[in-house]
Amino acid sequence: MSVLNAEPRSTDSSITLKQLRRTGVVPMAIIEKGKGTVAVQANEKEIRDIIRQAHRQFQIKVSGESGARDVMITKIEKDPLATSIIHVSVMQVAGTDIVTLDVPVVSVGTPDTVARHEASLLHPTTHVKLKGQVKAIPEQIEVEVGGLELGASIHAGDLKLPAGVECITPAEAIVVTVKVLRAAEVEEAPVEDGGVEPEIVGAKSEDDGE
């Protein structure tokens, strides 16, 4: 599992969070279930790398602590203009914790009609909501679409899930369909986003008042 190195952060430090961010360091909060929040900080580039590698779950090693913590991203706050990361919140988890997560659905293969440019492969629902143990929920769900014929669809209820994982998204929700479209319809076809983790907001972190 990917590991992010972090340093403890004093919330009463004379260094403002804006000054901290100018040095390429991002304030973070580790949420401990039933205990509270631990303030830390980490290099922004390393945070971006860990997000690309691990998607949502990784380990964080805080300097001075004996071991690494298993964590899951709950929120990433970005500057709406500069797109730089201004704060990251993660929750410490155990593999047996029950969570509900939005997981992307990825198509594998190409239907013959799509390959011949006679139809389009549409993804009305790009993510499905899954509930289960942290260690059991996959990073993504792959669906084989190469054999789909014109007009065929795959629904949320058709997805093969690991044992113990439940799909909360309505079973009738269409995740993939093959359809003939006019050019104008192809451009305007709506794609429903089920929600991508982490949540990205433009609001400032509560820590900004420090």
Side-chain angles (χ1 to χ4, degrees), residues 4-5 15-28 41-48 84-88:
L4 174 68
N5 292 309
I15 301 177
T16 67
L17 296 186
K18 287 185 178 180
Q19 290 176 313
L20 190 67
R21 296 180 187 116
R22 289 194 194 103
T23 65
V25 177
V26 174
M28 299 181 65
Q41 62 192 45
N43 179 273
E44 181 175 2
K45 182 181 181 302
E46 293 180 9
I47 291 175
R48 291 182 180 276
S84 56
I85 298 175
I86 61 176
H87 192 273
V88 177

Side-chain angles (χ1 to χ4, degrees), residues 29-108:
I30 302 175
I31 304 167
E32 299 178 313
K33 292 192 307 180
K35 294 183 179 180
T37 301
V38 177
V40 297
Q41 62 192 45
N43 179 273
E44 181 175 2
K45 182 181 181 302
E46 293 180 9
I47 291 175
R48 291 182 180 276
D49 289 342
I50 208 84
I51 292 172
R52 282 194 295 269
Q53 296 168 13
H55 183 53
R56 64 167 182 264
Q57 189 180 358
F58 56 95
Q59 290 186 322
I60 185 167
K61 179 68 175 68
V62 182
S63 178
E65 295 185 353
S66 58
R69 301 169 181 247
D70 291 326
V71 298
M72 179 174 292
I73 294 173
T74 59
K75 182 181 291 185
I76 291 181
E77 299 179 26
K78 285 190 173 184
D79 184 311
L81 299 179
T83 70
S84 56
I85 298 175
I86 61 176
H87 192 273
V88 177
S89 297
V90 298
M91 177 177 290
Q92 186 167 344
V93 296
T96 55
D97 286 345
I98 302 297
V99 297
T100 299
L101 298 171
D102 288 320
V103 176
V105 178
V106 179
S107 297
V108 177

Side-chain angles (χ1 to χ4, degrees), residues 132-147:
Q133 292 186 348
V134 171
K135 63 182 180 182
I137 295 181
E139 292 288 340
Q140 62 183 33
I141 299 176
E142 295 185 352
V143 290
E144 176 56 56
V145 300

